[in-house]
Amino acid sequence: MSLDIESFELLLAAVQRFVKERLVPAENILEETDDVPADIVEDMKAMGLFGLSIPEEYGGIGLSMSQECQVAFELGRTSLAFRSVFGTNVGIGSQGILMDGTPEQKQGILPRVASGELIMSFALTEPDAGSDAAALKMRAELHGDVYVLNGTKRFITNAPRAGAFTLMARTGGPGAGGISSFIVPSNLPGITLGKTDRKMGQRGTKTCDVILENVRVPAANIIGGVPGQGFKTAMKVLERGRLHISAVACGMAQRILEESVAYAKERRQFGKAIGEFQLIQAMLADCQAELYAGWSMVQDCALRYDAKPAGASDPDVIMRASCAKMFCTEMVGRVADRGVQIHGGAGYINEYKVERFYRDVRLLRLYEGTTQIQQIIIGRELMRRD
Ligand code: COS
C-alpha cells in the first residue's frame, strides 16, 4: 500500500504548510489552554490526517510506512500534542483492527476512524503491567456470547477523547497466550475515566485511567474473532508505532536545531554572535550529525518494513524498529539538552520554546516501549541468531 508519488508530494507540501502556518502559530494557545483548538482539529479531519495509514478502500489516504514516516517527521516539527490528537487513529488505536480484524470489523470501524468521526485509543498498560505487558490482569470472562470485563487501564492516551478502545484483556491463562484484543466502545455501561493526568510536558495531550466494571462486550468484538491472539496484535502494532515515533523524534530534533541555530545567530556575547564560537558550533554539529544518523535509520527501516509481505513478521525488521526507536528518542533528548545549553539562561525560561520541547521529548523515551525494552528486543534477537 502506498500513495502515488505525485499525490504524496502534494500531501507532504500541504502538511508542511499546515505545520508552519496553522500549528506553529498556535503553540502558545495549546500550552495555555492545555488543549488543541477545535477548529484545528476540524482542519486536521479535512486534510485526512486521521486516516493517513488507513487504506483508501476504507476512506483513508493509504500511505506506506515510508511515506507515513516522512509525514510524521513534518508533524514532529511542532508541539507534539497536535499530532497526538490523531496519532492513535493513525497508529496504535487502529492498526490492530487493520492488521488482524475480520472483514466486518474493518468495514464497520475503519471508515469512521479515517474520517476522524471516531477517535480510537489503545488500552494495554495497567497499574501493574507496564513494560511487562504480558502480565496484564484485566479479566474478560465469557458468559454466553458476551465477555464481561473488569480491571483498570493506565496512562491511556486520548482516552478522554475516545469513542472506542483497542483493549487487551485476559480471556485465558497466564502469559502472552491468554490475552485477547477487543474493540470496546467507550460508551458501554460500566466504563469510567479517571481524572486527566497532569504531566511533565506535552500539554494538550490527554491521558487518564480507564476503569471497567462488569463491562459487557460482545464476543464478536474480539479482533479477528479468535481469542488468545491479542498480545501478538499488540506487539505488531507497537513495532509499527515505534517507527512512527522515531520519525516524530527526528522532526522535533530538526525543529530544536533550527531554533538553536537561529538563536546562535542572533544572540551576541563577547562582541559577536555566539554562533561564531566553535564551542557553540560543536554542539550544533553534534545535533546535526546525530539527527542525520537517526533519520537515515528511520528511512532505512521504513523501506524494509514496506518490503515485507503484508501481514508478515520479520524479526530483523522488529529489531531494527527498536534500534530506530531507541536511537532517535535518545538522540532528541540530547538535542533538546544542547538546545537549552545553547540558549543559556534563556533556555530555562518558558518564553522560549526550547524549554517546552525539552520537557515534551522526555516522554518519547518512555511510551511505546522504554529504551530499556528496546535494548531487550535488540539483545534477544542478536542472541537468537546463529
Ligand atoms: N510481531 C509479531 N509477534 C510478536 C512480536 C512482533 N513485533 N513481538 C512479540 N511477538 C510474539 C512472539 O513471537 C511470541 O510468540 P510465540 O509465543 O508464538 O513465540 C509472543 O508474541 C510473546 O512474545 P515474547 O515472548 O517476546 O513476550 P514477553 O512477555 O517476553 O515480552 C516484551 C516481550 C518485553 C518485548 C514486550 O512485553 C514489550 O514490548 N513490552 C513493552 C510494552 C510497551 O511497549 N508498552 C507501551 C504501552 S503502549 S504506549
Side-chain angles (χ1 to χ4, degrees):
M1 172 177 85
S2 71
L3 190 61
D4 67 89
I5 293 176
E6 205 176 311
S7 307
F8 179 67
E9 294 297 334
L10 288 172
L11 172 75
L12 196 62
V15 171
Q16 284 165 341
R17 259 196 324 277
F18 184 62
V19 169
K20 194 170 166 205
E21 293 169 12
R22 286 287 275 137
L23 302 186
V24 171
E27 284 170 349
N28 288 341
I29 297 168
L30 174 83
E31 197 69 8
E32 284 155 23
T33 60
D34 194 13
D35 208 352
V36 178
D39 58 334
I40 288 185
V41 177
E42 289 310 309
D43 289 351
M44 289 169 170
K45 288 182 187 171
M47 285 181 77
L49 297 183
F50 285 81
L52 288 173
S53 61
I54 300 193
E56 288 177 83
E57 62 180 305
Y58 302 115
I61 293 184
L63 298 185
S64 65
M65 197 60 215
S66 154
Q67 292 173 330
E68 182 183 321
C69 285
Q70 290 178 63
V71 173
F73 179 96
E74 298 303 331
L75 293 162
R77 296 174 76 163
T78 182
S79 292
L80 301 179
F82 289 121
R83 186 209 60 92
S84 182
V85 174
F86 55 86
T88 48
N89 276 33
V90 170
I92 55 179
S94 71
Q95 288 296 316
I97 301 169
L98 185 60
M99 290 173 180
D100 291 339
T102 62
E104 297 73 34
Q105 288 168 342
K106 292 183 196 181
Q107 202 56 61
I109 301 260
L110 294 178
R112 289 186 291 142
V113 174
S115 68
E117 177 196 336
L118 181 68
I119 304 281
M120 293 297 297
S121 174
F122 181 76
L124 174 68
T125 300
E126 297 183 359
D128 295 324
S131 289
D132 187 5
L136 66 83
K137 289 186 185 145
M138 179 170 284
R139 283 294 327 164
E141 295 201 1
L142 188 59
H143 295 265
D145 58 0
V146 163
Y147 279 95
V148 179
L149 272 62
N150 278 289
T152 297
K153 294 290 176 183
R154 179 139 296 170
F155 308 143
I156 304 305
T157 300
N158 273 342
R161 299 174 170 131
F165 300 98
T166 295
L167 179 144
M168 284 78 205
R170 190 166 296 287
T171 49
I179 296 171
S180 302
S181 291
F182 290 86
I183 301 164
V184 179
S186 62
N187 61 0
L188 290 183
I191 297 184
T192 51
L193 300 182
K195 64 175 175 22
T196 304
D197 299 319
R198 294 181 59 187
K199 303 182 291 301
M200 175 193 277
Q202 295 213 12
R203 283 175 66 78
T205 57
K206 301 288 170 194
T207 66
C208 69
D209 280 4
V210 181
I211 303 132
L212 284 81
E213 286 173 297
N214 295 322
V215 176
R216 295 171 67 80
V217 181
N221 284 26
I222 287 194
I223 294 179
V226 186
Q229 299 301 310
F231 188 78
K232 284 189 189 170
T233 300
M235 289 300 115
K236 287 192 283 185
V237 163
L238 284 170
E239 173 197 345
R240 201 182 169 287
R242 287 166 184 160
L243 206 40
H244 178 107
I245 294 296
S246 309
V248 170
C250 290
M252 183 39 89
Q254 177 71 45
R255 171 70 185 277
I256 295 169
L257 181 55
E258 284 166 8
E259 296 273 343
S260 300
V261 169
Y263 188 80
K265 283 182 178 168
E266 167 209 310
R267 171 74 176 159
R268 296 181 71 80
Q269 286 294 280
F270 304 103
K272 52 186 171 180
I274 61 167
E276 289 181 37
F277 292 106
Q278 289 181 337
L279 291 179
I280 297 287
Q281 287 178 12
M283 285 192 276
L284 294 172
D286 285 350
C287 293
Q288 178 60 64
E290 289 192 52
L291 166 57
Y292 183 38
W295 184 233
S296 301
M297 287 171 88
V298 174
Q299 287 184 305
D300 173 69
C301 187
L303 288 173
R304 290 171 189 269
Y305 191 97
D306 287 332
K308 294 184 296 167
S313 270
D314 179 342
D316 185 63
V317 177
I318 295 172
M319 184 195 75
R320 286 175 195 270
S322 285
C323 290
K325 164 76 161 69
M326 176 173 84
F327 184 83
C328 295
T329 61
E330 293 284 337
M331 175 275 289
V332 72
R334 292 191 292 273
V335 168
D337 188 65
R338 292 185 201 112
V340 170
Q341 199 67 18
I342 291 165
H343 280 70
Y348 203 69
I349 304 294
N350 70 12
E351 206 178 300
Y352 288 85
K353 301 274 175 74
V354 73
E355 179 269 346
R356 183 182 308 170
F357 297 151
Y358 177 85
R359 287 181 288 106
D360 287 352
V361 299
R362 190 64 184 81
L363 182 60
L364 301 178
R365 291 156 61 189
L366 303 172
Y367 67 4
E368 302 201 21
T370 59
T371 292
Q372 288 65 35
I373 287 295
Q374 310 314 325
Q375 287 174 318
I376 285 168
I377 293 171
I378 299 162
R380 274 189 190 177
E381 175 54 23
L382 292 175
M383 293 306 290
R384 259 187 218 129
R385 293 181 175 185
D386 295 332

